[in-house]
Amino acid sequence: MELNIIHVDMDAFYASIEQRDNPKLKGKPVIIGGRGKRGVVSTASYEAREYGVYSAMPIVKARQLCPQGIYLQGDHLKYREVSGQIREIFYRYTELVEPLALDEAYLDVKGNHKNSIRIAKEIKRKIKKELKLTASIGVSYNKYLAKLASDFNKPSGFKIISPFEAKEVIFPLDVNNLWGVGPKTAQRLKELGFYKISDIAKGDRSLLIREFGKRGYQLYKLAQGEDYRKVTPPGLPKSLGKETTFRYDTRDKGVLRGYLKDLSKEVANRASNKNVKGKTITLKVKYENFEELSKSRTIEGNISKQEDIYRLAEILLEEVVLDKKIRLIGITLSNITEDGVEQLKLL
Ligand code: TTP
Ligand code: MG
C-alpha cells in the first residue's frame, strides 16, 4: 500500500484570504457571512473561533458571541480565483486532482516519481510562498485516511497515516469520524452498540449489512482503514460509447467491420472533443434474439485515434461467435484519462 493519496484543505479559507489582503485584519476575529438578520456564517478566522463562532451559525448569534468581530460579506469571485491558483499548484504534480470544494481536493500522485510525502510538503510550501495562505495536508494510502489526516492538526497541519499505524489512529475515534457518517447514522450505530471505530472493525459484519445494506459493508471496511474509492478528476466521462442498430440483421463480417469503422470514427471524434484518451475498448453485440454479449480488451497505453479503436474492436469481433445474426453493434472506450494536459500544463 503506497502513500499516494494527498488531501489538501485550506485553513479558514475565505477569512484567511481577507486577512491576507487587508493587513488590518491580521490576528483579528474575522467572520465572513451573509448580510441581514437571517445571514449565516460562511467561515470564521481561527481568532473568531475562540469565541465559539463557526460555519453555518446565524450571524446574529455570532455577533452575540463575538461583538468585537469584523464582519464581512465576502467576495466569492476572489475566492474562486484563489481556488484556481491552488489547483494550478496541484497540477504541477499530477493530473489526478479531485476538488471537493473551492478549498479542498484529493490528489493521487502515484504517477509522479517523487516521494509523495515530499510532494505534499512542497505543495504546502508553495501555497504559503506563492499565495501567502496556509493549508492543512494529509497523506495516506486512501481517500478516507488522507482526509482524516488533513483534519488532524489544523490549522497548517501536516499528518501522514501509514498502513502500519492506521488502526491505531482510527480505532479510538468516535464513529462519526467514518467517511459519510452524519449525525443520524452515528446515532443509529450507537443504538446498535457501535461507539468507536474499533467497535465496528471488531463488530458483527452481518449485523451492519442487515442494518445498512451495502453501506454497512463499506463502514466495516472503512473501520479497518480500507477505502477503495479512486481519485476522479471532474468532467471526465467514465466512458464514451456509440452503438448502432442495423436496418437488416446480419452475420456478414465484412458488413460488421464496415459498421465498426464508422463507430470507431464517432468514438474517436468524441474522445477528441472531450480531450480524453482511454485504455479499454468494449465491443457489444446484440443478436437477432436480443441476447447480448460484450467483449473487452485493456491495453498498456492509451488510445483515442480511430485506427487504434478500430484495430482493437476488430480483434474483439473475431472472438464473437456468429452462429446467429446480429441486430446491433457498439463500441465503448473506457478507463479514461485526460489527453495532452501534461504538455499544456508545462507550457
Ligand atoms: P471549510 O474547509 O469547511 O472551512 P474553512 O476552510 O473556512 O476552515 P478550516 O480551517 O476548518 O478548513 O470550508 C471552506 C470554505 O467554504 C469556507 O472558508 C467558507 C465556505 N463555507 C461556507 O460558505 N459555508 C459553510 O457552511 C462551510 C462549512 C464552508
Ligand atoms: Mg478549509
Side-chain angles (χ1 to χ4, degrees):
M1 278 181 287
E2 304 267 341
L3 292 171
N4 57 316
I5 310 294
I6 298 175
H7 181 261
V8 183
D9 188 326
M10 302 297 293
D11 303 318
F13 189 51
Y14 296 180
S16 305
I17 294 173
E18 297 305 335
Q19 287 179 319
R20 173 193 75 177
D21 295 346
N22 180 354
K24 284 188 191 142
L25 303 179
K26 288 217 167 84
K28 302 253 171 70
V30 174
I31 293 116
I32 315 289
R35 234 224 268 261
K37 284 217 170 80
R38 289 158 183 266
V40 292
V41 173
S42 297
T43 193
S45 70
Y46 277 79
E47 294 84 353
R49 292 182 196 195
E50 295 199 357
Y51 295 86
V53 178
Y54 51 82
S55 294
M57 173 184 277
I59 291 278
V60 176
K61 171 108 187 277
R63 283 193 189 273
Q64 287 165 4
L65 292 170
C66 183
Q68 67 275 58
I70 299 159
Y71 290 81
L72 304 170
Q73 271 193 69
D75 177 350
H76 285 263
L77 268 181
K78 178 158 78 174
Y79 308 147
R80 194 164 287 281
E81 194 184 328
V82 177
S83 176
Q85 292 162 345
I86 298 164
R87 284 177 202 171
E88 190 273 320
I89 294 178
F90 300 157
Y91 290 129
R92 295 178 204 168
Y93 298 92
T94 178
E95 54 190 83
L96 290 176
V97 176
E98 179 182 337
L100 295 176
L102 285 186
D103 81 323
E104 193 184 341
Y106 288 114
L107 283 67
D108 184 338
V109 296
K110 64 172 177 246
N112 192 313
H113 67 276
K114 267 192 206 168
N115 174 291
S116 53
I117 296 169
R118 201 171 134 203
I119 294 175
K121 284 185 177 157
E122 277 184 29
I123 287 174
K124 191 165 160 65
R125 210 164 43 235
K126 285 185 177 161
I127 290 175
K128 182 76 195 150
K129 186 155 181 264
E130 297 175 25
L131 304 175
K132 310 274 182 271
L133 292 169
T134 63
S136 289
I137 298 196
V139 186
S140 195
Y141 56 94
N142 63 38
K143 283 169 113 174
Y144 166 52
L145 294 172
K147 186 166 160 82
L148 195 72
S150 75
D151 213 27
F152 243 76
N153 32 32
K154 254 182 173 299
S156 198
F158 190 90
K159 166 111 183 134
I160 301 157
I161 300 182
S162 75
F164 314 105
E165 61 194 348
K167 288 187 175 162
E168 196 183 316
V169 172
I170 63 175
F171 273 13
L173 302 177
D174 187 289
V175 290
N176 65 18
N177 285 286
L178 283 171
W179 175 72
V181 172
K184 266 195 186 159
T185 312
Q187 195 196 333
R188 184 70 194 126
L189 282 166
K190 285 170 187 170
E191 284 164 10
L192 294 167
F194 302 106
Y195 297 92
K196 288 182 177 163
I197 291 182
S198 58
D199 297 333
I200 294 184
K202 295 172 185 163
D204 181 355
R205 189 173 71 174
S206 46
L207 169 62
L208 287 161
I209 295 172
R210 258 202 318 280
E211 185 68 26
F212 301 100
K214 242 175 141 179
R215 178 91 189 99
Y217 180 72
Q218 190 186 30
L219 291 175
Y220 182 77
K221 284 292 180 189
L222 287 171
Q224 327 280 334
E226 291 177 39
D227 176 10
Y228 299 100
R229 288 172 299 145
K230 286 200 168 139
V231 173
T232 330
L236 286 187
K238 286 219 161 44
S239 65
L240 295 175
K242 188 74 195 162
E243 58 184 42
T244 183
T245 304
F246 313 142
R247 193 186 281 258
Y248 305 104
D249 299 351
T250 180
R251 48 189 285 189
D252 182 318
K253 262 202 187 140
V255 173
L256 292 170
R257 284 200 194 101
Y259 279 115
L260 286 186
K261 268 202 181 115
D262 294 344
L263 291 171
S264 307
K265 184 169 180 193
E266 294 202 44
V267 172
N269 283 344
R270 287 181 59 196
S272 151
N273 287 340
K274 300 220 178 250
N275 200 27
V276 296
K277 53 195 180 176
K279 279 185 179 312
T280 303
I281 288 289
T282 303
L283 177 74
K284 169 180 157 188
V285 299
K286 198 188 270 181
Y287 289 104
E288 56 188 338
N289 62 354
F290 286 85
E291 216 175 88
E292 278 189 29
L293 176 83
S294 54
K295 303 227 167 242
S296 295
R297 175 137 329 176
T298 299
I299 55 158
E300 278 283 314
N302 280 292
I303 56 170
S304 59
K305 292 208 176 69
Q306 183 194 354
E307 50 272 27
D308 298 331
I309 295 171
Y310 175 69
R311 199 166 41 80
L312 284 172
E314 200 190 13
I315 293 171
L316 293 168
L317 180 63
E318 287 302 317
E319 297 173 9
V320 173
V321 183
L322 293 172
D323 56 348
K324 295 181 282 286
K325 285 186 182 169
I326 286 174
R327 56 175 282 117
L328 168 152
I329 197 161
I331 298 179
T332 302
L333 176 69
S334 58
N335 239 321
I336 294 210
T337 45
E338 247 177 298
D339 195 6
V341 272
E342 214 64 84
Q343 295 91 307
L344 279 177
K345 272 160 198 157
L346 288 177
L347 281 175

